[in-house]
Amino acid sequence: MAAPIRVLIVDDSAFVRDVLRDALEQAPGIEVVGEATNGVQAVEMARALSPHLITMDLEMPIMGGLQAIEAIMRSKAVPILVISDVAHADNAMEALALGALEVMQKPDFTSLKGGQFVQRVRLLAGVPVLTRLRSRAAPVCPLPAPALPHRTAPSPPPAAVAPGGAKLPGPVFAIASSTGGTQVLAQILAALSPDFAGSVLIAQHISDGFAAGLAEWLAHLCPLPVRIATQGERVQRGEVLISPSEFHMSVKPDGTVFLAPPEPKDLYHPSCDVLLSSVAQVFGARSVGIILTGMGRDGAAGMGHIRQAGGTTIAQDEASSVIYGMNRLAVERGHVQHIVALGDLAMTMQRLAAQRLS
């Protein structure tokens, strides 16, 4: 019989600790090994109890969650799931930059919400994380290393044309991302040049309420405009649009954004497959699909559609992925043309976008 997943709960609120503990103790194969009410206790208990996963609040007395995450990641790294209010979305993004794997809104813990929480605990508990031997003063998002000569990407093909004959912006980069992807997006977008000639559309799996905080955080790092996509706006060259988590983002044939609410059966919010497939259909050979680190199957089929449409497909390599899951599946299915290290992704995008439309 497999050993139980050992979870340390860290939260200032006794009510929240009770709700989290009840949800976990009702799940087979999970053991709550301790509860902490502040960051100092969290660091000490993480070292003493060796949990497989820590649920971490951010707003606590004595030592807050951000400081605790940093200390844990620098001493003995543990997978960390941040449980936070949407009002603290900016701190949640910093927590991800410091090494936390995912963030969830403090839910109402109906049976559905509680089930989602337990599912995330099971998935994240087995993720290997590395101890970070850097000081807080070090940059969170260093610029990528120069691209290796053998990782060159092809030149972009001719411009896409809308049904009415108007040229659509291109190339259009559709990025699929999940667990660990926020840090990757930060590094990629920070390294793009202000005159980047492509359009960037992103589907990042994230809990409801936190996409706006992600967009704001990335906007401070990226020289291009970054914002949450809105219904009916046109895809523009030199802009980054992020799908709201509450909707699936796609592109209509006229080059405008369409946001559709997910079906109850949909596992992933927002859907990477929906975005990638629509970009393939509208932009054809001018589409570039990039699939990053993450768990699950979302994005693999969409990458196949981009390749079938004559576009370019790129996957983040295994060595730089927090979880080699979504990208691995796309590679195994034969949908990926180029496997690229994190440090080379931005420069690969720059090369593809270098040929501007006439």
Side-chain angles (χ1 to χ4, degrees), residues 160-164 166-170 172 199 201 227 230-237 239 241 249-258 278-279 281-283:
V161 179
K167 286 184 178 179
L168 296 172
V172 174
S199 306
L201 305 175
R227 65 178 184 276
T230 58
Q231 190 77 271
E233 72 171 302
R234 186 168 298 280
V235 175
Q236 301 284 354
R237 192 185 312 170
E239 293 185 349
L241 297 180
M249 177 171 67
S250 61
V251 183
K252 296 170 65 176
D254 63 357
T256 60
V257 168
F258 180 71
S278 72
V279 168
Q281 184 175 11
V282 174
F283 297 99

Side-chain angles (χ1 to χ4, degrees), residues 113-245:
K113 294 280 189 177
Q116 291 174 345
F117 165 65
V118 171
Q119 181 187 47
R120 301 321 291 168
V121 168
R122 292 190 187 281
L123 290 172
L124 297 177
V127 175
V129 291
L130 299 176
T131 298
R132 297 188 173 195
L133 301 177
R134 63 170 177 82
S135 66
R136 188 174 177 82
V140 170
C141 302
L143 293 178
L148 300 178
H150 68 278
R151 287 194 176 113
T152 57
S155 297
V161 179
K167 286 184 178 179
L168 296 172
V172 174
F173 295 80
I175 301 180
S177 180
S178 187
T179 305
T182 53
Q183 301 96 315
V184 176
L185 290 172
Q187 292 202 39
I188 292 173
L189 296 183
L192 295 179
S193 64
D195 60 350
F196 181 74
S199 306
V200 182
L201 305 175
I202 298 172
Q204 165 69 51
H205 295 164
I206 196 167
S207 293
D208 288 354
F210 289 97
L214 173 63
E216 183 177 355
W217 178 58
L218 293 174
H220 288 297
L221 301 172
C222 181
L224 304 174
V226 180
R227 65 178 184 276
I228 293 293
T230 58
Q231 190 77 271
E233 72 171 302
R234 186 168 298 280
V235 175
Q236 301 284 354
R237 192 185 312 170
E239 293 185 349
V240 181
L241 297 180
I242 298 176
S243 176
S245 58

